[in-house]
Amino acid sequence: MTLPIKLSAPLASALGASLTLAYAPFSLWLIPFISLTILVGLIARSSDSRSAGITGFAFGLGWFGAGISWVHVSIADFGGLPLVASVALMVLLCAYLALYPALAFYFASRFFKPIFWPLSLPIFWLISEWLRSWVLTGFPWLSIGYSQIGSPLSGYMPVIGEIGTTAILLFVATVLGTTQSTKHWLKPVSITGITLGLGWGLNQLAWVKETSQSVSVSLVQGNIEQSMRWAPEQDKPTMDKYLALTAPFWQQSDIIIWPEAAIPAIEPLAQDYLEALDSQAAQTKTGLITGIVNYNFDNKRAYNNLLGLGLKNSVTAEQSKDLTGNYSYMHSNRFAKHHLLPIGEFVPLEGWLRKLGPLFDLPMSSFSRGLYQQDNLRVNGVDLAPAICFEIAFPNQISANLYDKTDMIITVSNDAWFGESHGPAQHLEIAQVRAKEFGLPVLRATNNGITAVVNHNGEIQNRLAQFVDDVLLEEVQIVRGQTPYRYLGNAPIWLISLCMLVFAYSVQRRKQD
């Protein structure tokens, strides 16, 4: 039976909204199987590709409207806009994001009969998701594969990545959703069971091996209120607070990590503080990484930076006397954020938008980009591939900064913008997937949570509660080896999906002839 659009659209929106429960902090990974199966069945019975696109758009509105509702927290609390304007911006954002699933379903319906969707829809979906991660600098949040970090399908992540896991999930859902009657359920149920079973089997493989070497890491969570972060009179109290929280951990730690922009004073004005911090870290045989904004007065450019201070290389007992740090202004042991956050860190059409309201004139919203590929940070003999804030959501960028010598991934953030919403939990889940894909531990330091250590299997080794001043001290195992995904990237899943598409097209043509 074909439902009219006026009935199918609300149902599709509800199905999209239900996906929120599949992601952290809820993590009900079965929901996408159910929701997408129903959605595919609903669209398969549509009268034409236009109806399929509209239903896909309605699904996207529910998916993003509920899933990224935390964006409204930052707009409403810190954007300085009236409620009507902030709601309108959220509707506009969600409508834009909903275009991508709409395009995937439109083209699948336009060129293929539903019986061929299991072979064709995955590549249309991957193309639409690739566009979503690239157009207007990209916003790949809530890709469906992230919901599977706790499911058997997570076994595919070290092989074909999160986007490959998304394609497999779409394949299973279309197989189930396009089944015509209960008489034919044995085949799709068998395919689903085999797919889940293979994922479980892949999860039993050890793609990388733990070494005998471990590193003692302290992650400092300052819990500075967002309203105080850029108030000049709060610079010294904030810097003093981070020093006080760190003081008990100098002797216990190989590496200490402070979060994004933990030091609120810009780097040229924080030289005395940085030099003292550098010296303290070196004398205690520690390496320290901190976030800071660097404003270069010569070229008038600002960068969201991570600095490596203290020891760059590990030392022996004989070398431990009279140690000095490595810091000087513009020294090389630093990372500049490449993937800037629209509105928050740069404003498109700046001359026009800044006049519209406080949201477009936030503090620190005129950054310059760092290079796409940069050297790892090296502290106390450990090489760390950095990602600042939502850069962790771009696997290609992370991959470009992984080298043979890379020991871990470090990601720092300030999620205070999002209050008590589910945004920070989703952010941590993305970090878990990166760890699983690349087979490397991920160290995540945040201003007010969720600070955590994720092991090379994508499991949360330990974490701090949100909204507390605390330090997470943890032993992190060094691993060696590479996952297939780290070596091959997304090429295999694109090749497989393209072959499936060509096969589906060939068979459909033969049947039409």
Side-chain angles (χ1 to χ4, degrees):
M1 183 180 74
T2 301
L3 286 175
I5 288 179
K6 64 181 181 180
L7 295 179
S8 62
L11 175 56
S13 291
L15 292 170
S18 73
L19 290 185
T20 303
L21 299 176
Y23 302 99
F26 312 104
S27 302
L28 302 177
W29 59 266
L30 270 173
I31 284 181
F33 288 89
I34 300 169
S35 298
L36 289 170
T37 296
I38 296 173
L39 178 70
V40 168
L42 188 66
I43 294 178
R45 291 158 180 79
S46 298
S47 56
D48 53 36
S49 55
R50 177 179 172 273
S51 298
I54 292 173
T55 305
F57 181 80
F59 172 80
L61 282 179
W63 179 16
F64 295 108
I68 62 167
S69 57
W70 45 267
V71 173
H72 186 259
V73 176
S74 60
I75 296 175
D77 291 353
F78 304 106
L81 295 180
L83 180 61
V84 173
S86 63
V87 170
L89 276 176
M90 274 299 298
V91 171
L92 184 63
L93 173 62
C94 293
Y96 161 71
L97 294 172
L99 291 174
Y100 293 101
L103 287 172
F105 282 112
Y106 172 83
F107 283 109
S109 179
R110 173 72 177 79
F111 294 110
F112 291 92
K113 294 180 179 179
I115 193 173
F116 296 105
W117 286 5
L119 298 176
S120 59
L121 182 59
I123 195 166
F124 287 119
W125 191 277
L126 290 184
I127 291 171
S128 71
E129 287 291 88
W130 173 77
L131 289 170
R132 183 161 73 91
S133 72
W134 176 74
V135 175
L136 300 176
T137 77
F139 189 75
W141 211 273
L142 289 192
S143 182
I144 292 175
Y146 287 116
S147 68
Q148 300 303 299
I149 186 62
S151 88
L153 291 191
S154 66
Y156 293 97
M157 290 176 180
V159 182
I160 52 176
E162 182 274 330
I163 73 161
T165 306
T166 295
I168 288 173
L169 184 50
L170 261 293
F171 168 75
V172 170
T174 49
V175 166
L176 294 171
T178 54
T179 300
Q180 297 297 317
S181 69
T182 54
K183 295 179 180 178
H184 303 94
W185 272 96
L186 180 60
K187 185 176 180 180
V189 170
S190 299
I191 290 173
T192 302
I194 292 170
T195 304
L196 289 170
L198 181 57
W200 178 87
L202 289 171
N203 257 330
Q204 311 312 306
L205 299 178
W207 298 108
V208 299
K209 295 183 179 180
E210 293 184 354
T211 68
S212 58
Q213 181 186 359
S214 66
V215 179
S216 178
V217 179
S218 290
L219 306 172
V220 184
Q221 182 171 291
N223 194 33
I224 308 297
E225 292 183 20
Q226 186 60 33
S227 59
M228 299 167 55
R229 283 184 55 77
W230 303 119
E233 67 275 10
Q234 293 299 322
D235 285 1
K236 188 176 187 304
T238 297
M239 293 189 288
D240 289 345
K241 183 174 186 178
Y242 271 99
L243 280 176
L245 286 169
T246 304
F249 296 90
W250 287 115
Q251 301 294 341
Q252 304 177 54
S253 310
D254 297 311
I255 300 173
I256 295 171
I257 301 174
W258 293 2
E260 179 184 14
I263 300 174
I266 61 174
E267 188 177 348
L269 302 182
Q271 293 298 289
D272 291 344
Y273 183 84
L274 288 168
E275 288 169 4
L277 194 62
D278 185 50
S279 177
Q280 174 75 28
Q283 289 171 13
T284 54
K285 293 185 287 187
T286 305
L288 185 142
I289 295 173
T290 182
I292 191 171
V293 172
N294 175 27
Y295 181 81
N296 190 314
F297 287 101
D298 293 331
N299 59 22
K300 294 181 171 52
R301 291 178 177 270
Y303 296 91
N304 190 348
N305 274 0
L306 280 176
L307 303 181
L309 305 174
L311 292 187
K312 188 172 183 178
N313 299 300
S314 56
V315 296
T316 63
E318 292 76 16
Q319 298 170 319
S320 62
K321 294 181 180 180
D322 302 320
L323 289 171
T324 57
N326 68 89
Y327 174 76
S328 61
Y329 183 57
M330 294 303 295
H331 78 319
S332 61
N333 199 17
R334 66 176 58 223
F335 172 84
K337 186 177 182 182
H338 169 79
H339 216 116
L340 303 178
L341 184 66
I343 308 303
E345 292 177 314
F346 81 99
V347 180
L349 305 174
E350 184 173 3
W352 179 65
L353 286 179
R354 285 197 186 276
K355 300 174 184 177
L356 294 184
L359 173 66
F360 303 106
D361 201 22
L362 293 170
M364 302 298 172
S365 58
S366 294
F367 285 103
S368 298
R369 294 181 186 277
L371 297 175
Y372 184 75
Q373 188 174 32
Q374 301 177 50
D375 291 337
N376 286 173
L377 292 172
R378 183 173 177 83
V379 288
N380 216 349
V382 179
D383 291 276
L384 301 106
I388 298 178
C389 193
F390 91 138
E391 285 185 316
I392 196 69
F394 295 87
N396 288 342
Q397 183 179 338
I398 302 298
S399 178
N401 288 278
L402 296 181
Y403 307 98
D404 290 340
K405 63 180 182 177
T406 302
D407 298 304
M408 301 177 189
I409 297 169
I410 174 178
T411 179
V412 298
S413 185
N414 171 36
D415 288 349
W417 294 96
F418 310 122
E420 298 182 18
S421 69
H422 48 257
Q426 293 175 356
H427 205 172
L428 173 58
E429 185 173 63
I430 291 171
Q432 289 181 255
V433 171
R434 295 290 90 82
K436 183 82 172 179
E437 287 174 334
F438 296 115
L440 288 171
V442 173
L443 313 178
R444 185 171 194 264
T446 67
N447 169 40
N448 70 337
I450 303 169
T451 294
V453 171
V454 180
N455 69 20
H456 63 279
N457 289 317
E459 301 160 341
I460 297 174
Q461 184 173 319
N462 205 348
R463 57 183 280 178
L464 295 179
Q466 282 186 276
F467 312 114
V468 296
D469 320 345
D470 207 347
V471 179
L472 178 62
L473 175 62
E474 197 72 14
E475 287 289 325
V476 183
Q477 209 72 27
I478 299 289
V479 298
R480 288 291 177 258
Q482 289 195 13
T483 62
Y485 182 72
R486 179 175 170 182
Y487 185 72
L488 298 171
N490 294 325
I493 191 60
W494 281 107
L495 181 60
I496 292 168
S497 299
L498 181 60
C499 290
M500 290 166 59
L501 181 75
V502 171
F503 178 74
Y505 180 76
S506 301
V507 174
Q508 182 172 269
R509 280 287 300 271
R510 282 202 302 270
K511 290 198 172 187
Q512 288 173 345
D513 294 341

